[in-house]
Structure formats: structure tokens, C-alpha cells
Amino acid sequence: MKRVAVLGGGPAGAMAAAGLARAGLPTVLLDEKLAWEKPCGGGITYKAYRQYPFLLENAVPKKQIFETRLSEPRGGSVSMRLRHPLVIYSRRDFNQMLLDRAEAAGAQLEKERVLALEPRENSWGIRTRHGVLEADFIVAATGARNTLQSVGTEWKPGDTMCALGYYVPGTRAEVDIQFFPNFEGYVWVFPRCDHLSVGICGKGVAAQEAREQLHRYMDEHGIPRTGATFYAHVIPALERPSWRSNRVGGPRWLAAGDAAGLVDPVTGEGLYYAIRSGDLAAQAILHDGVEPSSRHAVYRSLLHGEFLEDLAFGAGLAKRFFIQEIMFSSVPARMIELMRLSPRMRDIVQDLFAGTQRYLDLKDRLLANLNGTLQETIYGALLGHRVAGEGTQA
Ligand SMILES: Cc1cc2nc3c(=O)[nH]c(=O)nc-3n(C[C@H](O)[C@H](O)[C@H](O)COP(=O)(O)OP(=O)(O)OC[C@H]3O[C@@H](n4cnc5c(N)ncnc54)[C@H](O)[C@@H]3O)c2cc1C
């Protein structure tokens, strides 16, 4: 192959470019902004830095958070110390680190907006303000607002959730997650090195309504908006049927990260999937045993082997988790109540935070632990004790 063009230089594009360039393929990465403060919490799970230790072992400023608090109006609050910290970056720093890595591997980085794609028989023309660039293969990593309509996920109504928030001066030692009754989403407070990323994501909710909900939360928790910077974006949250028809690749193109809809539909975690899919896209393109025009099939099967099925299953779970009621209370409220009393339940939530609990296995694990959890809960309730060392607040 003479040249691969990676469109978009977020985590997905930067990882793909690094993998391709390291293997010696001439690789050009085009991003209209290069490193920027992309609206995001910036939280990296254990699952991500366990697989890619460089995400933790580097000199870039970051915050490692062990303390978390989960709350729901009817379930109260529960605090938990994470076994594996959540690592929180500013996205500008994080993207810059990944772009530096791609450049060091030999990728050519260009600050350019891709305006249009021109498919040729065995190649692509990539139109920018400065002309048309030729490439044999492309990786579309242009994020959730991909405007290149011939590649990547074809969004259907209901396949995204709104996400908005504020970068607020100040910092703290604890991550806060707040659920609300009948609300498919949550508020987060993620401490970064010198500011907080405070935001809300919600599916099926108008941005204005979500913003008002967030304002109420910030007012109630004494988080000021003066001096804070507003941000808004969308998070892919594919409905279950959309996963079946999801367009992750085609002849001589692959889509990675948000442009391929690869985000956890329950938590909104996208950074791991962007990084992993960027890496897998590079592996698929480098797969010499298959014609370039068929390498999208290799990519799809790599994604399938890892997480496509789990994310699709998670899409079915999301609504039930956020909206379904169990005995007049929401699932998050019941989860918080159980966490106060049952170490087994806390173990499960630990793994959900770490990103290591597959949705496909969650039901079996919950059922397998149900007896023990119920026993712990009943004893806990009868004896009125809490899990050792953990704070609670009804
Ligand atoms: C508010 C919010 C909070 C979030 N919090 C978290 C979190 O805490 N943890 C987590 O894991 N995930 C989080 N996510 C999800 C995460 O931000 C995304 O999944 C992740 O950024 C996806 O990476 P990407 O490389 O696919 O896309 P992006 O990071 O969006 O990168 C796409 C890049 O493409 C460029 N681009 C787009 N179009 C063009 C074009 N035509 N020409 C040239 N360049 C172009 C853009 O400039 C951008 O740099 C959050 C998302 C939102 C919206």
C-alpha cells in the first residue's frame, strides 16, 4: 500500500496512525484541530490502562482517583474506595500525548479539515481546502459528529445521547456520580489536576432539560458556574437493532471510535473503545493475507471477538438499568442500597467501574451472588451494620 489516510486525530485516529506508521506504512493523519479540549470527562478505566500501560505510565499531568460516591434521591448515597483508580486527564493533554506517539512512530500529522471523500476504483481522493490527497485506504476516526456520510455509523434517531457540562476551577479528591429517577443518564463530577469536569449525559432528553437538571445539581452541591467554561457534545448510544446494521467498515475503509458508534451504552465510556478500535483497525489494515478491499471483514471479526456483542447487549440493558423500577424504586437506588449492605454487590460495582465486568455475564454473576447478597443484606439490615470502612448516607 502506498498510503493510508487517518481522518481525525482523537484517541481512535491517533492509535490507528501509530500502529500503521510503526509497521512502516506511509500514514498521514488529518485533523482540523489536532490536540484540543474535546468535551469529555476524561476518565480512563482500569481496563484501558491494564491493556495499554502507557496510558498510566507517562509524564502527562493526570489525576488518579480512588474515592467515589454514588447517589440517587431515593437510594441515598454510598461511598466506595476503588481497587483500581480512575485516571482522569484533560483531553487536550491526553490527545497531545497520543498524537506525539503517532508522530514519533512516523505518522505525518496535518492540521486540515476533510471536506469530502471521492471514492476511486482502488483508492480514495480526500478533499481538503488545499486540494485532493490520494490514499489507498482510509480510517474514519472523525468522532460522533462525523460529517463524512459515506463512511462510519449511519445514525438513526435515538442512537445518541446528549452530553454537556462545565469545566469548573478547583479540584477535589472524589468522583461523584448522581442518578435521577426516570432519567436515562447521570451527572458526573470528575476531578482533574486543576479543575473539575462536571457534566450530565442523558438519552431521550433535550439538551436544555439536561442543562437545567445539571444546574439544579450544581446549585444544590455548591458548585459555582462563575468562571466555569461550558461544553456540549453528543455521545453515541446505539439502540440494540442499530448494532446489527452498524457500519464499521467497507471496501478500503474502516471506522474507529465514536465514528463507528463504539461506546458503552450504559456508562458512556468511549475512550477505551476508541483506543482499542484504533489499534484493531491498524492490525486489520496490516493483515497481508487478505485483499485490501476485504480487510473490513477482518476488522469486523476482530471487533466481534472483543466487544461488539457485549456493547449490543449493554444497549438492551441500559434502559432497564436507568428506567425500570424494582419494588417502587429505581435500579440505581436499589444498587446503592445493596452496596451499603453487601460486599458482593460492591465487588460487582468495583468491576463495573474498572470496566472489567462484561454485560453478557452480569446477569449470571448477579444471580450467582444473589443468595449471598440477600443473606448479607438481611444480616446487614438486622444487625444494622455497614460494610467495614465505607461511608454511607441515607
Ligand atoms: C461530555 C462527554 C463526556 C465524556 N466522558 C468520557 C469519559 O470520562 N470517559 C470515557 O471513556 N469516554 C467519555 N466520553 C466519550 C469520549 O469522549 C469519546 O468516546 C472519545 O473522545 C472518542 O474518541 P474518537 O477518537 O473516536 O473521537 P474524538 O475524540 O471525537 O475525535 C475525533 C477527531 O476528529 C476530528 N474531526 C472531525 N471531523 C473532521 C473532519 N471532517 N476533518 C478533520 N478532522 C475532523 C476532530 O477534530 C477530533 O479531533 C465522553 C463524551 C462526552 C461528549
Side-chain angles (χ1 to χ4, degrees):
M1 248 186 264
K2 288 199 286 294
R3 176 154 61 189
V4 179
V6 177
L7 318 180
M15 275 305 281
L20 293 164
R22 195 175 304 112
L25 259 189
T27 303
V28 59
L29 178 152
L30 309 171
D31 192 296
E32 59 183 331
K33 300 186 194 131
L34 290 176
W36 64 295
E37 195 53 68
K38 193 248 162 193
C40 190
I44 308 277
T45 57
Y46 169 65
K47 169 177 61 183
Y49 60 82
R50 179 183 62 181
Q51 189 160 19
Y52 296 104
F54 77 89
L55 296 175
L56 184 60
E57 295 155 12
N58 59 63
V60 178
K62 62 185 108 29
K63 196 121 178 163
Q64 294 189 42
I65 300 287
F66 284 93
E67 303 302 332
T68 60
R69 186 169 49 215
L70 300 167
S71 312
E72 203 272 2
R74 292 175 292 180
S77 290
V78 62
S79 297
M80 182 173 73
R81 186 171 169 80
L82 297 177
R83 278 195 290 262
H84 308 288
L86 190 67
V87 177
I88 307 181
Y89 283 92
S90 132
R91 279 298 301 271
R92 186 188 303 277
D93 294 346
F94 187 64
N95 284 21
Q96 188 66 62
M97 169 182 74
L98 294 171
L99 288 169
D100 288 348
R101 197 172 160 272
E103 194 167 35
Q108 177 192 345
L109 309 189
E110 299 288 345
K111 193 170 182 180
E112 282 280 10
R113 177 168 176 78
V114 178
L115 300 175
L117 295 174
E118 298 168 4
R120 312 261 160 83
E121 198 177 337
N122 282 318
S123 65
W124 292 88
I126 298 152
R127 184 166 291 280
T128 70
R129 237 165 13 105
H130 296 102
V132 177
L133 188 115
E134 302 286 331
D136 307 295
F137 211 108
I138 56 177
V139 178
T142 35
R145 288 189 174 143
N146 173 32
T147 53
L148 307 169
Q149 289 177 0
S150 49
V151 292
T153 295
E154 296 169 285
W155 305 104
K156 297 185 192 71
D159 278 346
T160 56
M161 56 179 150
C162 81
L164 52 90
Y166 292 89
Y167 300 121
V168 179
T171 192
R172 54 161 80 172
E174 183 181 66
V175 158
D176 260 316
I177 303 287
Q178 170 84 45
F179 301 101
F180 305 98
N182 292 315
F183 186 85
E184 197 178 341
Y186 59 91
V187 161
W188 70 85
V189 181
F190 277 14
R192 293 177 169 182
C193 286
D194 57 359
H195 64 277
L196 305 173
S197 175
V198 182
I200 186 166
C201 58
K203 196 160 182 195
V205 59
Q208 186 54 32
E209 196 187 321
R211 193 167 179 175
E212 285 163 12
Q213 179 86 277
L214 178 63
H215 285 182
R216 280 195 292 280
Y217 173 88
M218 292 175 80
D219 293 344
E220 281 163 19
H221 290 79
I223 302 173
R225 288 188 294 284
T226 37
T229 310
F230 179 70
Y231 59 79
H233 210 278
V234 289
I235 303 184
L238 268 60
E239 292 284 314
R240 201 143 184 213
S242 302
W243 282 104
R244 267 181 241 125
S245 55
N246 190 20
R247 205 172 52 163
V248 297
R252 292 182 176 267
W253 70 267
L254 308 177
D258 280 15
L262 302 176
V263 172
D264 182 318
V266 181
T267 62
E269 177 185 12
L271 289 170
Y272 169 75
Y273 298 100
I275 286 165
R276 185 65 187 146
S277 62
D279 194 1
L280 293 176
Q283 290 177 30
I285 294 170
L286 293 165
H287 200 287
D288 275 340
V290 177
E291 278 300 300
S293 58
S294 302
R295 288 186 195 165
H296 58 285
V298 175
Y299 179 56
R300 180 171 272 282
S301 94
L302 288 173
L303 292 177
H304 220 272
E306 298 215 356
F307 50 68
L308 272 191
E309 222 186 315
D310 201 49
L311 294 182
F313 190 77
L317 269 184
K319 229 170 238 56
R320 274 184 268 158
F321 176 75
F322 288 112
I323 305 292
Q324 192 170 298
E325 299 254 312
I326 307 178
M327 295 191 312
F328 312 111
S329 208
S330 68
V331 176
R334 291 286 178 226
M335 180 183 82
I336 288 167
E337 287 162 2
L338 281 176
M339 282 173 71
R340 279 205 284 272
L341 297 162
S342 158
R344 285 167 212 255
M345 190 65 197
R346 301 175 80 85
D347 265 352
I348 294 173
V349 178
Q350 281 278 357
D351 291 345
L352 286 169
F353 254 100
T356 51
Q357 173 61 55
R358 290 187 349 137
Y359 293 126
L360 287 163
D361 307 327
L362 183 58
K363 189 172 155 201
D364 285 349
R365 185 169 174 199
L366 283 169
L367 286 176
N369 282 290
L370 190 63
N371 265 342
T373 305
L374 279 177
Q375 271 175 22
E376 285 164 355
T377 306
I378 291 163
Y379 291 148
L382 288 176
L383 300 174
H385 72 216
R386 297 164 174 177
V387 177
E390 308 288 359
T392 63
Q393 194 188 314

